[in-house]
Amino acid sequence: MRFVRATLRHTATRSFSSSRLYLQKPEKRSSAMGDKRYQLIKDVLYQPTESLDIIPQTPESEQTERLEYEVIERMWCLQLQKAHEKEMSEIRDKYTSMRNTMLELERLDKRLFKGATASRNNSKEV
């Protein structure tokens, strides 16, 4: 408690001249006094590059680009087709396996087969 009173007394008697510094607007720097890093960043970001120069296209280069694009497109379509065929093959194998299992169950035990198919039909109605 003694510490709080001493702190309050010290704060009350202190001069508030330093607080005026925080309320003043900061002085604006001139561009000459500014940070040179800004100019460096601008130079790096906006420097002209040789790769952006327009290169005249010849008919041979245009034809080569078109062929390359078509080859890439065909390879992509082939990749998608193979992925689709693989997925369909897996689904077909699962269906065949399930069908063979159900046929085997029907052949071995008619009662269990009817129970398996009856519960499937009941779940669709609910």
Side-chain angles (χ1 to χ4, degrees), residues 41-83:
I41 291 171
K42 287 179 183 177
D43 291 344
V44 169
L45 289 177
Y46 301 114
Q47 69 182 351
T49 59
E50 296 173 7
S51 63
L52 295 178
D53 293 341
I54 298 174
I55 301 170
Q57 295 285 327
T58 62
E60 294 84 19
S61 65
E62 290 177 4
Q63 184 178 9
T64 304
E65 286 181 15
R66 191 174 65 245
L67 286 173
E68 288 174 356
Y69 180 78
E70 288 175 3
V71 167
I72 292 170
E73 280 290 316
R74 282 185 280 166
M75 293 303 293
W76 178 248
C77 289
L78 183 63
Q79 182 73 19
L80 290 177
Q81 183 181 359
K82 285 182 180 180

Side-chain angles (χ1 to χ4, degrees), residues 64-117:
T64 304
E65 286 181 15
R66 191 174 65 245
L67 286 173
E68 288 174 356
Y69 180 78
E70 288 175 3
V71 167
I72 292 170
E73 280 290 316
R74 282 185 280 166
M75 293 303 293
W76 178 248
C77 289
L78 183 63
Q79 182 73 19
L80 290 177
Q81 183 181 359
K82 285 182 180 180
H84 180 70
E85 287 174 359
K86 181 180 177 184
E87 184 180 356
M88 291 306 294
S89 174
E90 289 174 0
I91 292 172
R92 192 177 305 112
D93 291 344
K94 287 178 184 179
Y95 176 78
T96 304
S97 176
M98 182 62 77
R99 177 126 173 101
N100 290 339
T101 303
M102 290 302 286
L103 290 174
E104 185 70 20
L105 182 61
E106 184 180 22
R107 187 179 64 79
L108 292 176
D109 192 351
K110 297 276 188 193
R111 183 183 59 82
L112 288 176
F113 177 76
K114 285 183 181 180
T117 55

